[in-house]
Amino acid sequence: MIDLLLDIGTWILLIAGSILLLITGLGLLRLPDLYTRIHAGGMADTLATFLIFVGLSLQSGFSLVTVKLLLVIVFVFFTSPVSSYALAQGSFVAGLKPKLDGFSEEEEE
Amino acid sequence: MTIYAITAIAILISIAMALGRAILGPTSYDRILSANAIGTKTVLLIGVMGFLAGRPDFLDLALVYSLVNFIGTLAVLKYFKFGTLRGTLSKPADNP
Amino acid sequence: MAYTNNDHQTCQIRTAETKVAVGADDGDTQDLLRTISLFLVLMAVWLLLSGHYTPLITGFGIVSCLLSALIAYRMDVIDRESHPIHLGPRIIFYWGWLMAEIYKANLDVAKCILFPKKHLRPSMFTEKVTQKSDLGKVIYANSITLTPGTVTVDLDGDIVMVHALTKASADGVKSGDMDRRVTAVMEEA
C-alpha cells in the first residue's frame, strides 16, 4: 500500500520535472535575448532539480542515498545563483544590452 | 522502471535543445549559458541513470559533477572578462 | 607586476593581524563554537560520503576532520561570513518561504515561455538594498537570482540592478517583501 503511494508520488514528481525540463529547453530556444534565456536556465536549476531528486528520494527509502540526493539539491541551490549572477554581470559589463519591451527604463534610475 | 526511462529521455531532449542554443547562440555568453544548462541537466541525468541501472552509487558522480560545472562556468567567465586566469577576481583597476 | 603582487599580499597579512588583535576580545567563545560546528559539518559530510564504517577508516575521518578544523581555527578563516551559525533557525524558515516563492515563480516563467506574446515584458531597474552587512546583501541578491523571473545583474554598494522577465516578477522585487524578510533574518533593522 505504502509502496503504491510512493510509486505514484515518484511518477507525479518525475513527470512534472520532465515537463519543466522540456519547457526550459523550449525557453532556451525561443526566448529573444540572453538575459531572458538566463531565466529559463535558472528554472531548470531550481524547481526541476528539486522535483526530480525528491521524486527519486521517495524510491530509495530511508538510506544514505536519500541524504546524498538532498545534498545534491543543496549544492545546486547554493551554486546555481552564483553562476547565473556571474553570467549576467559578465555579459552586462561586456556591453550586451538587454532587449526591453516597452515599460520601465524611464522610471527609476 | 519505465518512469526513469521516460525522465531520462525528457532530459536528453532538453539537453538537445540546449545544444541547439549553443550552436545558434549569437554571442559567446549564450554558449556559456547553454554549457551551464547542459551541465545541470547532466547532473539530473546521472542521478536518474543511477536509479535506472539500479546502482545509486552514481550519485557521488552527480555531486562532483555539479561542483565541477560550477567551477568550470566561473573559470570560463573569468577568462572571458579578464583574458587571464591569473590574479584575484577584483576589478582590473585594482591590479594594473 | 610581481612586486605589486607581493606588496598586496603583505598588506593583506597586516590587515589580518590587526583583525585578530581587535577581534580577540569580542568573540572568543563564538569562534570556538564556530570551530566545533565546522568540525561537526565536516564529520557529517565524511560519514555521508565514505560509506565504510570500520573503526580504522572512521578513525582516519575523525583525525582528518579534527586537523582541518584546527588549521581553519589557527588561520582565523572561520568568521561570521564564512560560517554564519548566528543566523540560526531563522534562515531555515526563510528557506521554506523561499521555496514557496520559487515554486510560484517557476509557474510564472513556464507560462511566460509557453505564451511569450502575452506575458513576456522584460525590464531592468535598480533598487535600494536595506541590509548593512555584506552577508545580508549576498543572501538578498542570491535569493533574487534563485527565484526564476528575476536575475541580479549588478550589486554595487547598496544599489542592486535587477533584470525581470515579467511585470509580476518585477513588481515582486519592487514591493520589497523579500528585502524585509532578509533584513529580519539578519536582525538588522
Side-chain angles (χ1 to χ4, degrees), chain C residues 108-153:
Chain C
D108 207 34
V109 175
K111 259 192 303 188
C112 180
I113 290 173
L114 290 177
F115 310 104
K117 288 247 163 51
K118 203 166 145 204
H119 293 100
L120 186 63
R121 296 282 181 280
S123 65
M124 199 136 162
F125 55 91
T126 55
E127 194 74 16
K128 251 185 109 62
V129 194
T130 57
Q131 289 85 34
K132 288 183 190 66
S133 65
D134 286 350
L135 182 63
K137 285 175 192 166
V138 167
I139 290 178
Y140 180 47
N142 266 1
S143 306
I144 290 178
T145 313
L146 198 54
T147 320
T150 49
V151 165
T152 314
V153 177

Side-chain angles (χ1 to χ4, degrees), chain B residues 19-75:
Chain B
L19 198 60
R21 174 46 69 193
I23 295 167
L24 290 174
T27 66
S28 29
Y29 291 101
D30 285 288
R31 301 197 166 99
I32 300 175
L33 172 65
S34 52
N36 191 17
I38 289 174
T40 311
K41 285 162 193 169
T42 310
V43 173
L44 297 176
L45 186 64
I46 293 173
V48 174
M49 285 306 276
F51 275 75
L52 186 61
R55 291 174 59 191
D57 321 335
F58 280 19
L59 281 174
D60 293 339
L61 301 183
L63 243 162
V64 173
Y65 203 95
S66 68
L67 292 179
V68 168
N69 181 34
F70 170 60
I71 301 287
T73 309
L74 284 195

Side-chain angles (χ1 to χ4, degrees), chain A residues 52-62 65-66 69-70, chain B residues 51:
Chain A
I52 287 184
F53 277 158
V54 169
L56 289 181
S57 69
L58 287 184
Q59 284 298 307
S60 63
F62 193 75
V65 174
T66 317
L69 283 165
L70 296 181
Chain B
F51 275 75

Side-chain angles (χ1 to χ4, degrees), chain A residues 20 23-24 26-27 30-33 35-36 38-40 42-43 46-47 50 64 67-68 71 77-78 80-82 84-85 88-89 92 98-101 103-105 107-109, chain C residues 47-49 51 53 95 99 102-103 106 109-110 112-116 120-127 142 145-146 148-155 161 163-165 167 170 174:
Chain A
L20 265 181
I23 293 176
T24 301
L26 195 66
R30 84 190 287 196
L31 286 179
D33 75 328
Y35 294 92
T36 48
I38 290 176
H39 298 293
M43 207 172 79
T46 53
L47 195 58
F50 184 76
L64 214 57
V67 189
K68 272 183 198 166
L71 199 63
F77 268 58
F78 270 88
S80 100
V82 179
S84 292
Y85 165 72
Q89 212 240 1
F92 188 72
K99 272 184 203 155
L100 297 177
D101 209 0
F103 86 115
S104 190
E105 182 84 320
E107 74 219 44
E108 319 270 352
E109 288 291 330
Chain C
L47 289 176
L48 193 66
L49 294 182
Y53 299 117
W95 283 345
M99 251 347 269
I102 287 172
Y103 171 73
N106 262 291
V109 175
C112 180
I113 290 173
L114 290 177
F115 310 104
L120 186 63
R121 296 282 181 280
S123 65
M124 199 136 162
F125 55 91
T126 55
E127 194 74 16
N142 266 1
T145 313
L146 198 54
T150 49
V151 165
T152 314
V153 177
D154 206 354
L155 175 64
M161 186 183 266
H163 183 271
L165 191 60
K167 193 162 181 354
K174 279 177 190 163

